[in-house]
Amino acid sequence: MSAVITPQPAVQAYLTVNNVEVIYDHVILVLKGVSLQVQKGQIVALLGANGAGKTTTLKAISNLLRAERGEVTKGSIEFDGRRVDQLTPNELVRLGVCQVMEGRHCFQHLTVEENLLTGAFTRSVGRAELRRDLELVYEYFPRLKERRGSLAGYTSGGEQQMTAIGRALMAHPKMILLDEPSMGLAPQLVEEIFGIVKSLNEKEGVSILLAEQNTNIALRFADYGYILENGRVVMDGAAASLAQNEDVKEFYLGLSAGGRKSFRDTKFYRRRKRWLS
Amino acid sequence: MAGPVSFFFEVLFSGLLAGVMYSLVALGFVLIYKASGVFNFAQGAMVFFAALTFVSLVERGVNFWLAMAITLAVMILLGILTERVVLRPLINQPPITLFMATIGLTFFLEGLSQGIWGAQPHGLDIGIRDEPMEWLADRTGMFLSQFDLFASGIAAVLVTVLALFFQRTRIGRALRAVADDHQAALAVGIPLKHIWAIVWAVAGFVALVAGLLWGARTGVQYALTFVALKALPVLILGGFESIAGAIVGGLIIGASEKLAEVYLGPYVGGGIESWFPYVLALAFLLFRPEGLFGEKHIDRV
Ligand SMILES: Nc1ncnc2c1ncn2[C@@H]1O[C@H](COP(=O)(O)OP(=O)(O)O)[C@@H](O)[C@H]1O
Ligand SMILES: [Mg+2]
């Protein structure tokens, strides 16, 4: 791909991932030096096909890799002006960095409301304040209020996604690492959830790093985007300009000058291109 | 009104009450299995260790309640140490490795308790006689041990307290969350290590209660470690992940083993009590492998 621009860290960003390399099981090299930045108050999209390394990047930040036998072997990660690569997930949540994992990962045998309450685990606050926070979550996700007493495992995929985001919200996060919120959901629901995420970003001032395969919707809601391929950032830029980029259109939005291409053509074309480069 | 009917009920009730004692031991297994997926082979050794520590303290003149408090503190410390020394280094290892580690812990505990307190058996008197309750016998013609009734009362209190702890407290909720999904629990900032230490400490507390009751009934001796074997059919029946299952499983095993002994025993020869629960559990395994109350895995994508 052509337009590779390496961002020059001019001002200190809110989150800085600097040349991070990740190895699983001591041998599988998955991230080959990923760098990215999120400015305070931004929504930044991390795009790329299945297996590109989006989830791994988010887990490297939230330090959930160790539980999967993964390890950051190179590079550094800074949040709000301090190194965070050695912190435990617990310490990171306390600092305000919360991950909403791919596949929601709700606590299936806890009710929706109990799920939300677990999100406040790191904050030792009284009942009254928890109540207020729950109400705030219910304001953003009125559906969850209706379903508050149901076991999360018996709620719909969309409700589980909302529960997972609401649970992160209960921690009073400064930054949410949101992994594939659109996965397996109907387009209308995806739209609804992205709308809520956007308003969380605007009203609560939560910065968001969003991993998505659904390039189209991600670029509509994000301010900035990075495209990941094979564990490397191959392109980045303002969301609007990425959406106009010919390569992005062709390979990630399924559009090209000659109209919409079939997935199969795209795949073939891509392979050939990589082979040649 | 002594007759075949009241005799039947006497057998049934005494079986149910004996079953409560099995439930107590099974409970310790369930707690640890639920939260960490580890089958803790050392639960029996923990029961023995708790009872022996308590009885040795009392024999050295320590006040009953103080001895209880000290033993409880020791069990909690043991839980924390187990997490630190045994579980933490083995994080991310397959369950069988952890299981082997708890076997090691079993031998360590048995050695430790006998090393500190000696190997001779002790009697343990908690002030409740294992005798039939006279007023009950007078009124109903049933002979039920007052010790069994007392033990059941204690078990009921213990289960209620545990249930409240799990349902109503922040830590209890976190424990259930961890049992459901380790990864997600980590992601919301629940420190698994602390949670495991707490679970082991709670299991230690349950072992202490079981140890006192079993110790009072059978004496405190090495054989106490084998009460864990009695819990096995209870677990198969009730499911490894369910507190309710441990209770109901214990009751079923207790009742059926007594009934089998009395009504089937004469036809198949003595000793039926020692193998009947296993046959029952195995038969059950064929029909409902997740146990009576085993958590259904909610599969919904
Ligand atoms: N726990 C793991 N052990 C080994 N390899 C892994 C593990 N998790 C992910 N991978 C590999 O790392 C690559 C990137 O995966 P992932 O970060 O999940 O990509 P994405 O989220 O972009 O789909 C994939 O090739 C995947 O097979
Ligand atoms: Mg992924």
Side-chain angles (χ1 to χ4, degrees):
Chain A
M1 287 201 181
S2 49
V4 180
I5 309 152
T6 328
Q8 299 303 318
V11 276
Q12 180 76 351
Y14 204 34
L15 175 75
T16 308
V17 174
N18 192 12
N19 203 23
V20 161
E21 185 179 278
V22 169
I23 296 184
Y24 282 112
D25 285 321
H26 301 292
V27 287
I28 310 169
L29 176 64
V30 168
L31 293 193
K32 303 156 187 167
V34 166
S35 299
L36 59 85
Q37 299 190 332
V38 181
Q39 306 297 335
K40 199 166 187 167
Q42 264 189 336
I43 298 182
V44 171
L46 188 56
L47 307 165
N50 194 13
K54 303 180 296 294
T55 298
T56 304
T57 307
L58 295 196
K59 285 189 172 169
I61 300 166
S62 58
N63 234 326
L64 290 173
L65 277 180
R66 219 165 300 160
E68 290 206 50
R69 299 155 78 62
E71 204 184 344
V72 175
T73 45
K74 246 191 223 161
S76 65
I77 298 169
E78 279 170 41
F79 175 71
D80 207 4
R82 66 180 275 202
R83 284 286 289 261
V84 293
D85 15 342
Q86 296 305 319
L87 299 186
T88 62
N90 170 274
E91 289 163 327
L92 273 159
V93 172
R94 281 174 197 279
L95 266 186
V97 182
C98 296
Q99 175 150 8
V100 176
M101 282 193 284
E102 181 180 321
R104 359 275 190 217
H105 281 267
C106 292
F107 302 116
Q108 309 265 300
H109 299 94
L110 270 60
T111 65
V112 166
E113 185 154 300
E114 284 175 332
N115 265 276
L116 297 178
L117 288 171
T118 57
F121 182 86
T122 52
R123 299 166 46 226
S124 310
V125 293
R127 267 164 204 278
E129 188 164 352
L130 283 180
R131 206 59 258 163
R132 263 200 306 281
D133 290 347
L134 281 175
E135 285 310 321
L136 182 75
V137 172
Y138 291 144
E139 247 169 62
Y140 281 101
F141 301 102
R143 269 201 223 199
L144 293 186
K145 188 160 192 171
E146 289 162 34
R147 304 289 263 136
R148 66 213 283 180
S150 318
L151 291 190
Y154 291 123
T155 61
S156 72
E159 286 159 349
Q160 294 197 18
Q161 186 63 61
M162 294 177 183
T163 304
I165 296 173
R167 187 173 64 186
L169 209 54
M170 291 294 287
H172 284 190
K174 296 185 176 126
M175 168 161 297
I176 293 182
L177 310 171
L178 185 54
D179 200 350
E180 305 259 6
S182 76
M183 190 193 259
L185 300 183
Q188 205 186 342
L189 202 54
V190 172
E191 201 73 31
E192 181 184 341
I193 287 177
F194 269 81
I196 296 170
V197 168
K198 183 85 183 172
S199 68
L200 283 176
N201 167 252
E202 284 166 357
K203 291 192 208 144
E204 309 296 322
V206 188
S207 311
I208 288 163
L209 178 56
L210 165 75
E212 256 303 342
Q213 273 189 68
N214 188 335
T215 310
N216 184 9
I217 193 159
L219 285 182
R220 271 203 288 122
F221 283 90
D223 301 299
Y224 200 86
Y226 290 85
I227 296 182
L228 214 54
E229 232 178 70
N230 264 318
R232 286 196 179 90
V233 174
V234 291
M235 194 189 296
D236 70 301
S241 75
L242 279 182
Q244 294 306 315
N245 182 292
E246 286 305 320
D247 284 330
V248 176
K249 273 189 190 168
E250 185 158 346
F251 300 127
Y252 292 99
L253 297 173
L255 307 164
S256 70
R260 202 185 166 90
K261 286 203 170 189
S262 85
F263 177 64
R264 207 155 153 188
D265 291 343
T266 310
K267 215 168 169 183
F268 172 71
Y269 192 51
R270 225 169 126 189
R271 236 183 251 145
R272 189 168 54 118
K273 196 158 178 174
R274 201 176 287 152
W275 185 249
L276 294 173
S277 66
Chain B
M1 61 175 269
V5 175
S6 88
F7 179 67
F8 171 79
F9 279 109
E10 178 182 321
V11 174
L12 177 67
F13 284 131
S14 69
L16 287 175
L17 295 176
V20 171
M21 299 281 282
Y22 302 150
S23 300
L24 272 179
V25 183
L27 209 53
F29 282 100
V30 169
L31 287 172
I32 290 178
Y33 187 81
K34 236 174 115 69
S36 52
V38 178
F39 181 81
N40 176 25
F41 191 79
Q43 193 65 33
M46 281 164 67
V47 170
F48 173 55
F49 180 69
L52 188 61
T53 304
F54 175 80
V55 80
S56 305
L57 287 171
V58 170
E59 278 172 9
R60 281 163 182 71
V62 180
N63 165 289
F64 185 92
W65 294 107
L66 183 62
M68 190 105 103
I70 294 175
T71 312
L72 182 58
V74 170
M75 293 313 285
I76 289 174
L77 194 67
L78 180 71
I80 295 170
L81 278 178
T82 305
E83 191 280 318
R84 268 284 150 86
V85 182
V86 183
L87 296 179
R88 199 177 291 187
L90 292 178
I91 220 161
N92 283 335
Q93 296 298 317
I96 187 72
T97 310
L98 290 161
F99 173 65
M100 301 300 266
T102 68
I103 295 181
L105 181 64
T106 308
F107 289 114
F108 171 76
L109 274 181
E110 286 167 8
L112 180 72
S113 34
Q114 300 192 0
I116 298 177
W117 304 117
Q120 73 284 12
H122 305 252
L124 171 57
D125 183 9
I126 55 173
I128 314 285
R129 303 260 141 256
D130 197 358
E131 285 164 0
M133 301 220 306
E134 279 173 27
W135 65 265
L136 195 70
D138 290 343
R139 278 175 188 69
T140 65
M142 287 194 289
F143 291 85
L144 291 182
S145 155
Q146 67 179 38
F147 180 87
D148 282 346
L149 280 173
F150 173 76
S152 305
I154 295 285
V157 171
L158 184 69
V159 169
T160 312
V161 169
L162 284 179
L164 286 176
F165 171 65
F166 273 94
Q167 293 299 327
R168 295 289 162 81
T169 66
R170 167 173 164 267
I171 299 288
R173 203 160 45 225
L175 285 170
R176 285 187 295 138
V178 170
D180 250 12
D181 192 330
H182 286 189
Q183 280 253 332
L186 270 177
V188 297
I190 298 173
L192 291 190
K193 293 163 186 169
H194 295 184
I195 292 296
W196 284 334
I198 292 171
V199 168
W200 278 76
V202 174
F205 169 63
V206 173
L208 168 62
V209 175
L212 291 184
L213 293 174
W214 274 97
R217 157 153 286 175
T218 65
V220 178
Q221 54 197 328
Y222 178 69
L224 209 51
T225 57
F226 298 127
V227 301
L229 294 181
K230 282 284 189 189
L232 215 52
V234 174
L235 291 168
I236 295 174
L237 209 63
F240 279 79
E241 303 184 343
S242 163
I243 290 180
I247 305 301
V248 176
L251 294 178
I252 293 176
I253 293 288
S256 57
E257 124 188 327
K258 279 281 188 312
L259 289 171
E261 184 200 359
V262 170
Y263 292 102
L264 293 181
Y267 304 106
V268 294
I272 188 171
E273 234 183 334
S274 59
W275 56 261
F276 186 75
Y278 291 94
V279 173
L280 190 69
L282 284 177
F284 197 79
L285 205 52
L286 295 177
F287 297 106
R288 231 186 115 84
E290 75 271 32
L292 213 50
F293 287 80
E295 265 177 1
K296 285 202 187 58
H297 289 277
I298 304 178
D299 286 323
R300 224 173 135 160
V301 191

